[in-house]
Amino acid sequence: MRAQPKVLVVDDEESVVVTIKAILQLDGYDVATTTSGVRARSMVRDTEYDLVLSDLRLEDGDGLDVLKAVRECHPDTITIMLTGYASLESAIQALRAGAYDYLVKPSEVEELRSTVARGIERRRLGQELRVRLEQLERANREIGDLNSSLQRRVDDATAELKERYEQLKELDRMKSQFLSIASHELKTPITAMSGFLQVALRRVRRMSEGEAPVPVADGLRGITEQLEVVYRQTGKLARLVDELLDVSRIQTGRIEFRYGDVDLSELATEVATRMQLSTTAHEISVRHNSQSVVTADRDHLEQVLNNLVTNAIKYSPSGGAINIEVRPDDGGVRLSVTDEGIGIPEKELEAIFGLFYRSPDRAARDAAGMGLGLYISKEIVVRHGGRIWAESAGTKGSTLNVVIPRVPIGATKTDVAQPSAARR
Ligand code: ADP
């Protein structure tokens, strides 16, 4: 049920006010009255009427002031002005000032009723229109929000697809790169071995058939040298296959660590002494500190250090000093391998730890490798809870740093309790 429309009647003649009130009450309105302009103004401020019917000329003020007060406080309230013939002029002025209509006094009852009814209907329609407009605006906003959230989802999905596509492309690129690098790297020692074995075989055949062109002792020395080359090449092949196996173990999560106490100074000295045997162009030295014991997998850390020193040798083709420094760092122990080689361009400092990453730089390309050593080293170090990073001035010398925490982060107690044992 709709509430009774509230009407205020203002006229300084008591009889007019009473009559109008009686007529309008019969039509179902809730009617308030006053004969004072001042009082009327305060009433419209306090109460929101649906319609105000006011005489233009009041003893204690102007009907236009009542109209003004209504428009200030409740602009949607309908105002109808009552006027005598004489002030038609002011009635027009009242319309201009925002009154809805005017009635000329004395007005007919029917005209009064229908004008008020129209005013009330007008207000009701206006209110309904506003509600509808608000609903429309809300719906519009919701559609807008939905639209942009939909757009956002489409954008996100597109971006994700693009990323997946790029990842797939990158994987594809890496796969072909791997196949070409791996086959090249594996083929080189096999070709060398096959060549040397052929020569050695020919020698042995000739000797066994008694047609040795050279004395037997010389022939045997030649064969021995060739077999040594072949032996060295099998070592190289085995290392390459080991690297591939390591990557496969890492990627399938089958890499296992056996933790124990490892003295990194001792390990560094051991690796340096062994690697020094493989080069005369480089001078490998170790600087260390007494506090360098960590709980770690010795064989895997040895593999990391081996990789770093092998690289230091490989990427210093004109020789030079290689220093391994061992010192406490950040609650762990830091190993730094510094060389005086070709250096690493700044933009590659991080990329070199990627799978199959090989520098596009010619000088680096000349050295053989599959781009796996640093990837494997990083995986080992990270799985110990440590860090690995490269520093280089760009074209002269590099330092590869590794920090191993004193106790491996994330290793379980049983891991740590296990004794260190040979890995392969
Ligand atoms: P590989 O040596 O088999 O190419 P690595 O993963 O060991 O693979 O190294 C990746 C790349 O990082 C190398 O190809 C080389 O460009 C660069 N690099 C590594 N160590 C050094 C170093 N000490 N000096 C200069 N470049 C290096």
Side-chain angles (χ1 to χ4, degrees), residues 2 71 114 130 153 172 221 235 245 263 346 421:
R2 208 177 286 155
R71 296 204 55 84
S114 70
R130 177 138 24 77
R153 276 158 64 181
D172 208 49
R221 202 177 314 116
L245 277 174
D263 185 334
E346 197 187 334

Side-chain angles (χ1 to χ4, degrees), residues 311 314-315 339 343-344 352 357-359 364 369-371 373-374 398:
N311 278 351
K314 225 163 54 171
Y315 299 107
D339 62 54
I344 304 165
I352 55 172
Y357 185 85
R358 305 221 59 218
S359 173
M370 286 195 285
L374 288 183
S398 317

Side-chain angles (χ1 to χ4, degrees), residues 3 7-8 52 57 96 140 142 166 184 196 199 206 224 293 322 328 336 360 364 366 374 389 408 410:
V7 176
L8 173 66
V52 175
R57 215 170 296 145
R96 283 212 191 99
N140 230 335
E142 275 166 16
E166 290 303 326
H184 175 79
F196 280 106
V199 178
R206 279 199 200 154
T224 311
V293 178
I322 292 171
S336 306
D366 285 347
L374 288 183
W389 73 100

Side-chain angles (χ1 to χ4, degrees), residues 119-352:
I120 292 292
E121 181 63 7
R122 157 72 205 262
R123 168 158 162 101
R124 196 181 61 72
L125 286 176
Q127 277 172 334
E128 213 171 284
L129 196 71
R130 177 138 24 77
V131 171
R132 287 279 150 80
L133 262 177
E134 273 165 14
Q135 284 171 345
L136 255 177
E137 270 167 18
R138 207 172 319 124
N140 230 335
R141 266 199 307 277
E142 275 166 16
I143 289 174
D145 288 353
L146 257 172
N147 227 336
S148 48
S149 106
L150 211 71
Q151 185 64 45
R152 221 173 308 122
R153 276 158 64 181
V154 169
D155 286 351
D156 288 354
T158 314
E160 202 181 309
L161 268 178
K162 256 194 203 151
E163 203 182 306
R164 291 255 171 86
Y165 175 68
E166 290 303 326
Q167 280 171 353
L168 276 178
K169 247 178 38 184
E170 175 65 10
L171 261 172
D172 208 49
R173 194 189 60 76
M174 270 168 46
K175 212 172 81 187
S176 12
Q177 191 185 344
F178 163 69
L179 284 177
S180 87
I181 292 176
S183 33
H184 175 79
E185 289 297 320
L186 295 174
K187 183 89 184 149
T188 312
I190 289 175
T191 311
M193 279 158 59
S194 147
F196 280 106
L197 280 176
Q198 265 178 33
V199 178
L201 253 178
R202 207 177 305 137
R203 280 215 167 126
V204 173
R205 270 201 207 104
R206 279 199 200 154
M207 281 167 71
S208 64
E209 284 160 13
E211 46 172 280
V214 288
V216 174
D218 288 354
L220 280 179
R221 202 177 314 116
I223 291 169
T224 311
E225 276 167 15
Q226 277 140 13
L227 287 181
E228 269 166 5
V229 174
V230 171
Y231 181 65
R232 273 203 301 278
Q233 295 292 336
T234 58
K236 196 170 165 192
L237 255 182
R239 274 196 303 281
L240 289 175
V241 172
D242 275 347
E243 278 194 345
L244 287 174
L245 277 174
D246 275 332
V247 170
S248 134
R249 275 194 205 106
I250 287 168
Q251 300 216 323
T252 53
R254 281 186 290 113
I255 188 165
E256 280 174 20
F257 290 152
R258 296 171 204 283
Y259 292 97
D261 285 349
V262 185
D263 185 334
L264 293 182
S265 303
E266 204 185 286
L267 183 67
T269 311
E270 193 185 307
V271 170
T273 311
R274 183 162 23 84
M275 296 300 276
Q276 185 65 77
L277 297 177
S278 70
T279 174
T280 46
H282 306 84
E283 187 77 41
I284 308 177
S285 61
V286 180
R287 253 189 293 159
H288 57 80
N289 176 285
S290 52
Q291 276 302 314
S292 57
V293 178
V294 294
T295 303
D297 180 313
R298 190 183 198 280
D299 292 338
H300 277 105
L301 286 195
E302 181 176 345
Q303 195 184 353
V304 171
L305 204 51
N306 257 335
N307 277 338
L308 299 187
V309 179
T310 306
N311 278 351
I313 295 172
K314 225 163 54 171
Y315 299 107
S316 312
S318 16
I322 292 171
N323 183 254
I324 309 175
E325 197 184 342
V326 188
R327 63 186 153 104
D329 181 313
D330 197 17
V333 177
R334 186 200 285 214
L335 286 166
S336 306
V337 179
T338 304
D339 62 54
E340 299 174 332
I342 58 172
I344 304 165
E346 197 187 334
K347 60 177 189 307
E348 292 181 41
L349 286 174
E350 282 193 32
I352 55 172

